[in-house]
Amino acid sequence: MKFAERMSRLGTESAFETLARAQKLEREKGMEVIHLQIGEPDFDTPRNISDAAIKAINEGYTHYTTPAGFLESREAIAEYYFRMRGIRYDPDEVVITPGSKEIMYSLIMMLAEEGDEVIYPDPGYPIYKSVIEFSGATKVPIPLREENEFRLDVKELKALITPKTKLLIINSPQNPTSSILTREDMEEIYRLACDHDFLIMTDEIYSRIIYDTEYSSVAQLDEKKERVMVLDGMSKVYAMCGWRLGWGLMPKKVAEGVVRMQTNITSCATSFIQRALNEALLGPQDAPTKMVAEFKKRRDFIVDGMNQIEGFNCLKPNGAFYVWPNITATGWDSRDLAEYLLTELGVAGLSGTAFGDYGQGYLRFSYSNSIENIGKAIDRMKKAMPALIKEPVK
Ligand SMILES: Cc1ncc(COP(=O)(O)O)c(C=O)c1O
């Protein structure tokens, strides 16, 4: 069968492939694989949220909703943002989707086309690049460098802007490096967007998983709601990846476009899950607070462990649940090392190159696993690496 040409421009996410391969090794070789590859909290969805969804089913919330989502749920999101960031959104500026990925897809497909340039982080979440290419727009990666703690360098950004720049994608805390943009970064980025008249999509899916730091959003600077679109959702902070619920906050005119996209793709997000959203966002927040405290303990543990592995060097990030060790001193290519760790040591992580060309020299490990399992993975790598160090790649 011949697919349409555009399919050749659509990429994928290798975390899912690695998961399938790790499960095959477990099944066929009886190997004990430690899963540090997937970007999903290993906690249960808080009970009060599950109960709210079950109650909504029993009450008959099992029908289509308007494509933008229930008004009460959009109001709940608006209230949540006001409490959290002090920004007032109108429900017409909120669209609820089955996962924030749909916001990402819709915005890029709606706004960018051939002749436009879209700047996105490299290393970065692989779907940005995939959908930019699918849209026909030109992809413009901005490297995230270790010497800048993997925050984008505003001077470098300035150099990449042209009259064709249509959209900038930022992500803080960032996947895969977990870096966090500062308030000053946001101010400079926003100033550039105004001076050069481009739009900003800010992916804030990890914004509540932060440690010892304040969160600042570029949306707080866009008082007139002219150019910033926020993407967020339940997946990470409420451990609800499988529920598929996300949302976007954006200028009303852009929201109308996303609603039209959604009408064509899924019609609406699942009705009873939208009802559970009200409980999640405005109900008790003890569960996410506990989860973040546990992640912080694991972050300290895994960073310490990574730095004890020969050839590994790892910064301590203040958000998300990923570590991004530099492995250049091992002399290995990232892809080969990730493969070796999986097949020989039973440690599933991802090659930095799964996130872009600038991911060469790095691996990504998710600490969405118990301290006990993380410890086992570190021990296996600590034991094996000294014998595996190669001459540095020239
Ligand atoms: C940076 C980033 N944005 C968005 C998503 C997608 O999240 P959702 O489950 O809301 O579609 C992910 C998931 O891993 C992510 O890492």
Side-chain angles (χ1 to χ4, degrees), residues 151-190:
R151 290 167 20 239
L152 67 76
D153 177 339
V154 179
K155 279 196 215 84
E156 211 163 353
L157 171 64
K158 203 168 170 186
L160 293 174
I161 296 168
T162 76
K164 292 182 180 166
T165 305
K166 180 73 183 270
L167 177 67
L168 166 70
I169 300 174
I170 56 175
N171 173 212
S172 171
Q174 209 250 351
N175 179 7
T177 66
S178 297
S179 66
I180 298 183
L181 292 165
T182 63
R183 172 88 188 178
E184 293 73 48
D185 293 331
M186 296 293 188
E187 282 168 358
E188 290 183 59
I189 291 168
Y190 187 70

Side-chain angles (χ1 to χ4, degrees), residues 99-101 104 125 128 171 175 203 205-206 235-236 244:
S100 65
K101 235 180 193 177
M104 192 183 295
Y125 187 53
Y128 306 144
N171 173 212
N175 179 7
D203 181 340
I205 196 87
Y206 297 99
S235 288
K236 315 290 170 170
R244 309 310 302 131

